[in-house]
C-alpha cells in the first residue's frame, strides 16, 4: 500500500525524504544545517530537517527511528527513542540526537540523520474500569515471562 505524503521545504537547502531502496521501510531524513555540528559524548542536540509534512489520513502518523549505521558504528541514537509526528502537526521536523559513545561525532550538512516510517495508528477511547479481565500473565512485569 502506497500513500502520498505532501512535503514542504522550509529551507532551500532541505533535502526531500527518500527511501534508499524499493524495500526500505523508512525514508531517510537529512540534516538541514549550514555547518557541521559536533555531538560530544553524552550530549543531546536537535537537528532540523528543513521540511514539514502533511499526512492525508488522521489514522496515520510518521515515526522517526535511528539509522542503524549511526547507532551501531558511532553510538548516535534518537534522544527520545522514537519520534512521533502526529497527523495534524505542520511544523518543521527536527531530530533529537544523542551520543551514547565515548567519542565525539560530527553531523555534516545534508547527512542522513534518521529514518521516517509512516504507520497506521488506532484511535482509542479510554474508559475507567474497576476490574480488568484475567490472563495467564496477569500483572507480571519486566522479565516475568522468563529468560530464553
Amino acid at each position: 500500500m502506497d500513500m502520498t505524503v505532501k512535503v514542504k521545504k522550509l529551507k532551500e537547502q532541505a533535502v526531500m525524504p527518500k527511501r534508499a531502496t524499493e524495500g526500505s521501510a523508512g525514508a531517510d531524513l537529512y540534516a538541514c544545517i549550514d555547518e557541521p555540528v559536533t555531538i560530544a559524548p553524552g550530549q543531546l542536540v536537535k537537528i532540523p530537517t528543513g521540511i514539514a509534512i502533511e499526512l492525508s489520513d488522521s489514522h496515520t502518523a510518521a515515526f522517526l527511528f535511528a539509522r542503524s549505521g549511526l547507532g551501531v558504528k558511532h553510538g548516535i541514537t534518537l534522544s527520545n527513542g522514537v519520534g512521533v509526528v502526529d497527523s495534524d502537526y505542520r511544523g518543521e521536523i527536527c531530530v533529537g540526537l544523542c551520543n551514547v559513545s565515548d567519542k565525539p561525532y560530527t553531523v555534516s550538512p545534508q547527512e542522513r540523520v534518521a529514518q521516517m516510517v509512516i504507520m497506521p495508528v488506532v484511535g482509542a477511547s479510554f474508559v475507567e474500569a474497576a476490574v480488568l479481565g484475567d490472563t495467564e500473565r496477569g500483572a507480571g512485569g519486566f522479565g516475568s515471562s522468563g529468560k530464553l
Side-chain angles (χ1 to χ4, degrees):
M1 171 175 122
D2 279 348
M3 165 187 254
T4 299
V5 176
K6 292 182 181 179
V7 178
K8 180 179 180 181
K9 285 177 131 185
L10 304 174
K11 299 172 187 161
E12 189 177 320
Q13 71 270 33
V15 177
M16 292 286 289
K18 55 183 96 131
R19 293 168 47 214
T21 67
E22 189 176 318
S24 295
D28 289 322
L29 295 178
Y30 298 80
C32 188
I33 51 179
D34 294 325
E35 54 191 44
V37 173
T38 298
I39 310 170
Q43 185 181 18
L44 308 174
V45 299
K46 188 166 76 170
I47 302 291
T49 65
I51 63 165
I53 63 170
E54 179 181 328
L55 298 170
S56 60
D57 184 341
S58 64
H59 295 289
T60 59
F63 295 87
L64 310 183
F65 296 97
R67 295 195 67 249
S68 57
L70 285 179
V72 172
K73 294 177 185 176
H74 304 287
I76 303 301
T77 65
L78 269 62
S79 57
N80 57 340
V82 174
V84 178
V85 181
D86 297 312
S87 65
D88 58 352
Y89 177 67
R90 295 295 184 269
E92 181 174 18
I93 295 175
C94 292
V95 179
L97 295 178
C98 64
N99 184 347
V100 298
S101 79
D102 59 356
K103 296 181 177 114
Y105 181 82
T106 300
V107 177
S108 300
Q110 279 139 17
E111 180 175 347
R112 296 175 297 165
V113 291
Q115 54 185 322
M116 177 172 65
V117 178
I118 310 300
M119 294 190 286
V121 294
V122 176
S125 297
F126 299 93
V127 178
E128 185 173 353
V131 177
L132 302 177
D134 289 332
T135 67
E136 184 178 329
R137 180 178 183 172
F142 297 102
S144 66
S145 60
K147 184 177 179 180
L148 297 178

